[in-house]
Amino acid sequence: PVWWFDLEEGRWTEAQRNRPVTAGDRLSTGRDAQAELRIGSTTVKMAEGTELEMLRLDDERVRIQLHRGSIALRLRSSEVAAETQFGTDEAWLQPLRGGLYRLDRDDDTTFAASWRGELRVSDEVGLDIEGGRRLQLWREGPSRQLRHRWATVLGDAFAARVLREDRDDERTASAAYVSPEMTGFEDLDRNGRWDQHPEYGPVWTPLTVRSDWAPYRQGHWTWVRPWGWTWVDDAAWGFAPFHYGRWVSWR
């Protein structure tokens, strides 16, 4: 199970695939569960038993707080990295360039790691985490002074999944047709194919649909602040084609 905290209702409800996430949202994964968030070209993967909160999510900055568990973030460029921060009650991290990063929190201890790229511990001069390194962070005493020590990079099942899917995403064909900043573009490769239309040029077609399929038929409308009524499609690939481009009938 994956859960989403409904601010309007003040309670946890079952998360919906393809539902837009906005500032103030919280997400939680249960035992043996996993979740993936897409923010433009950024991918955030959640391990089991993880809870995170989107403190800020707008055109200028993304700020993600991890309350417990493990997340991995893939940032495609230095520009995106400069607009992204993630952290815990113990410390906040600023990516210095695009890369693949991991953050873990267990009780009052934080572990920050970099597979590639470089992280800087905010407000700590000279405390940078380079690719292949992992840092343990905690606070001590009445003044909650930040302490740290270097730790071994984890090679658990979550790490194996993140690295495998990272390699798969590097081979995506959709990046040749659309911008990687288009949220959900990776799902197009997994669930469809590209073809050349004589009038429109490159078009994407889903591989499998029901015989009575039509756009805006399998799914529902829901109110999402601050945008208002938003279509949430049921298909695994149903984010990008319903928020970008347009539909045409062909063959």
Side-chain angles (χ1 to χ4, degrees):
V2 181
W3 303 98
W4 165 69
F5 188 76
D6 188 336
L7 281 174
E8 303 293 332
E9 298 286 336
R11 61 186 178 90
W12 290 93
T13 62
E14 188 173 351
Q16 302 170 349
R17 181 194 295 270
N18 296 324
R19 187 192 189 280
V21 175
T22 187
D25 282 351
R26 297 172 70 172
L27 290 166
S28 176
T29 55
R31 184 178 178 181
D32 298 327
Q34 60 190 38
E36 186 174 286
L37 288 80
R38 303 287 177 82
I39 310 167
S41 63
T42 297
T43 303
V44 182
K45 297 181 186 293
M46 300 174 62
E48 66 174 341
T50 294
E51 182 182 335
L52 62 75
E53 183 175 359
M54 307 300 298
L55 296 185
R56 182 174 176 181
L57 180 56
D58 54 38
D59 292 337
E60 297 180 354
R61 182 157 295 276
V62 175
R63 188 172 168 88
I64 303 172
Q65 182 170 3
L66 177 65
H67 293 292
R68 59 180 171 86
S70 303
I71 59 173
L73 297 94
R74 175 178 172 167
L75 308 175
R76 288 183 175 268
S77 68
S78 296
E79 291 77 14
V80 171
E83 299 169 352
T84 304
Q85 268 193 327
F86 52 92
T88 65
D89 282 343
E90 288 73 56
W92 283 88
L93 290 306
Q94 177 63 59
L96 300 183
R97 58 178 181 268
L100 185 62
Y101 306 104
R102 175 170 176 168
L103 188 65
D104 303 88
R105 186 168 193 252
D106 185 11
D107 291 331
D108 296 326
T109 302
T110 294
F111 292 88
S114 169
W115 280 295
R116 66 174 184 273
E118 188 174 3
L119 286 173
R120 174 161 294 164
V121 181
S122 298
D123 303 324
E124 290 294 321
V125 177
L127 194 53
D128 294 349
I129 308 168
E130 299 176 343
R133 305 203 71 184
R134 184 172 186 246
L135 189 65
Q136 181 181 357
L137 298 152
W138 72 98
R139 292 190 178 271
E140 285 184 355
S143 62
R144 287 184 51 80
Q145 185 174 1
L146 184 65
R147 303 290 189 182
H148 74 273
R149 70 165 64 97
W150 293 102
T152 304
V153 176
L154 280 179
D156 57 4
F158 179 58
R161 178 170 71 87
V162 169
L163 293 172
R164 181 181 65 253
E165 293 176 357
D166 178 60
R167 291 190 295 269
D168 292 343
D169 282 347
E170 282 293 333
R171 296 191 290 266
T172 178
S174 294
Y177 303 102
V178 297
S179 167
E181 293 299 326
M182 188 179 82
T183 301
F185 86 98
E186 298 96 332
D187 287 330
L188 302 181
D189 271 8
R190 302 171 185 175
N191 300 279
R193 64 177 180 269
W194 289 92
D195 205 343
Q196 195 72 19
H197 189 281
E199 181 181 354
Y200 298 108
V203 294
W204 178 85
T205 308
L207 288 175
T208 305
V209 294
R210 290 165 40 172
S211 59
D212 63 344
W213 183 88
Y216 301 99
R217 182 171 290 175
Q218 279 85 43
H220 65 280
W221 291 93
T222 188
W223 184 270
V224 179
R225 56 179 175 79
W227 304 290
W229 289 107
T230 304
W231 176 256
V232 178
D233 201 75
D234 291 342
W237 46 266
F239 190 88
F242 289 94
H243 293 271
Y244 305 90
R246 54 181 170 167
W247 289 99
V248 297
S249 296
W250 188 27
R251 296 173 182 168

